[in-house]
Amino acid sequence: MERTKIVHANPEILGGTPVFVGTRVPVEILLAIWRKGETLEEFLDNYPTVSREQAVGLLEEAGRALLAQIS
C-alpha cells in the first residue's frame, strides 16, 4: 500500500498529529496498543475506521524504517 494512503498529518486534523488517512485515529494509538501486548485484531475492533491494510502497511513501513536505520 502506498504510504500516502496509510498516514498523513494535516494541521487542521488533531493539530497535525499523524493519523490514518480518512480517519481521525492517531497512528500512536496502534503503536501504544502493540506496546501493551494487545493484538492487531483488538485495535481494528476498537477503531473500525482504520482498514487492516492501513494498519499492516504502517507496521511494515515502521519495520523498513527501523531496518534502514540499523543497516
Side-chain angles (χ1 to χ4, degrees):
M1 174 173 241
E2 293 176 35
R3 201 176 296 171
T4 58
K5 293 182 180 179
I6 299 171
V7 63
H8 71 123
N10 179 332
E12 295 183 19
I13 301 172
L14 297 178
T17 298
V19 297
F20 288 96
V21 171
T23 78
R24 295 179 62 83
V25 178
V27 168
E28 178 58 33
I29 291 176
L30 175 57
L31 302 176
I33 284 174
W34 274 69
R35 282 192 299 269
K36 288 175 30 180
E38 295 182 30
T39 67
L40 180 59
E41 294 305 320
E42 289 169 306
F43 171 78
L44 294 172
D45 287 345
N46 290 320
Y47 299 94
T49 58
V50 178
S51 72
R52 173 178 295 282
E53 189 175 25
Q54 285 177 306
V56 170
L58 176 80
L59 296 171
E60 289 173 347
E61 286 290 328
R64 280 193 284 275
L66 175 63
L67 291 174
Q69 284 184 351
I70 60 175
S71 61

